[in-house]
Amino acid sequence: MIYTIIDVETTGKSNKLTEISIFKYNGTQVIDELTSLINPQMWIPDYITALTGIDNGMVVNAPTFSEIAQDILAFTENSVFVAHNVNFDYNAIRNEFKAVGIDFNRKKLCTIRLARKLIPGHKSYSLGKLCNALHIHIKDRHRARGDAEATVILFELLLNQEDADTVFNNFLKKSSKEATLPSHLPTAVFNNLPSTPGVYYFKNEKGKIIYVGKAKDIKKRVLSHFYSKTKKSLAMCRETADIDFALSGSELIALLMEDAAIKQHYPEYNQVAKRAPKMHAIFSYTDRKGIIHLAYNTLKATPNPILTLHSITECRQQIEQLCSKFELCPKYCHLQEAVASCNHFKIHTCKGICKDEEATEHYNQRVLQALESLNNTKKDVILKQKGRYDYEDAFIMIEKGTYLGYGFIDKTEQLNNTEDFETFLIRQNDNSDIQKIIRKVLV
């Protein structure tokens, strides 16, 4: 069998190749080599130059990938693509081929995963630390040829291990997950994941949480990340060394757990949801004429909030509904500012309070009715959910419209009132994202 042992250097986040080195290996010796700088046709960031030593001047006269694509294609034909953290190098090269209209497909082997199986027990399987532990000298670390040459020596060592034939054959099977799983993730960790609802936590080698997700089926959802070819998924999976999880029983509680975990840990790859949006609220006040106003502002700036919402738009929509339903004045509901009398484009229910054509007490009576209708939406609710196990139930507790948290109860427990549920309550913070989730359920 022919192996092409490969290492690439890239521009970083944009993942354009700056250098490639390929050693063709027949199982006993290197029989050919292809090494070249590559012009990425973009600026190489300073931090990449500091790491690899490759700067913009070095690649200015180097061939572009399209100019050497056919050479690489021919050189790797009918061979097994081998690399340390193979998915990174393979996908970087495959994306370059895709950009020039070529579909690149090769069988893959990862020397990290092979090393974990054949020489277990090392503290780290990064190329530098593993080679140091095995006394393999790396000349020109973080240059493609130096790293590829060290990987050849490591690969030869792995080929000579006991049970190497069985392990290599298993890894090359199409049905094997070994080529799919992130290189730094032990297979046992993935196999231990449940196929039930809950949240999962991707962690890097230092144990830091880098991503939080929720799922109906944790194992299936996690596997889908490993098949994804988006830049975010590839970068995230490249860093993943461990996966933890927590069962939820239901998808709804998983959503709530996910939100809490994101806001607690601020994972790098949860950029969309990790910042809590600014909350807003509806309130009322009485002016010098004795007229009751409905208004809205940020929650921090709101005296005695009546209803908390997650955006100004929602506040306005809620007030517009009250204005129409209870025949209130858009001016005194602060839907129109700096006008002598209301002239709202779609609300024409005002009975003339803004023109002194209606008695204040009559108008205020309807405002109070509107406020009462808001208060009626702030109910105490216990939402029952499926438990994590057959012997338990779960619940979500809402008090006067505010989310308090969730809990799990053994089915043998006798619960007669709200206070009984509070014994099992896992208290959580309320926020606008939680309110969005809860509102969909309560509608």
Side-chain angles (χ1 to χ4, degrees), residues 390-432:
D390 291 339
Y391 59 80
E392 75 176 12
D393 290 320
F395 68 92
I396 297 164
M397 184 177 285
I398 300 162
E399 185 178 76
K400 296 180 180 178
T402 300
Y403 167 68
L404 297 185
Y406 56 86
F408 304 98
I409 311 169
D410 193 292
K411 288 182 176 180
T412 60
E413 292 286 343
Q414 297 294 317
L415 305 177
N416 300 313
N417 52 51
T418 302
E419 287 73 22
D420 292 339
F421 280 93
E422 289 182 3
T423 305
F424 302 93
L425 181 66
I426 302 169
R427 290 194 171 268
Q428 301 289 305
N429 294 325
D430 195 8
N431 61 60
S432 58

Side-chain angles (χ1 to χ4, degrees), residues 330-347:
K331 174 184 174 181
Y332 291 124
C333 288
H334 291 260
L335 298 173
Q336 289 188 290
E337 302 286 352
V339 293
S341 59
C342 68
N343 58 348
H344 198 274
F345 72 100
K346 68 176 181 179
I347 301 173

Side-chain angles (χ1 to χ4, degrees), residues 381-397:
V381 178
I382 300 289
L383 291 172
K384 293 187 178 180
Q385 298 287 298
K386 184 179 178 182
R388 299 164 296 183
Y389 312 103
D390 291 339
Y391 59 80
E392 75 176 12
D393 290 320
F395 68 92
I396 297 164
M397 184 177 285

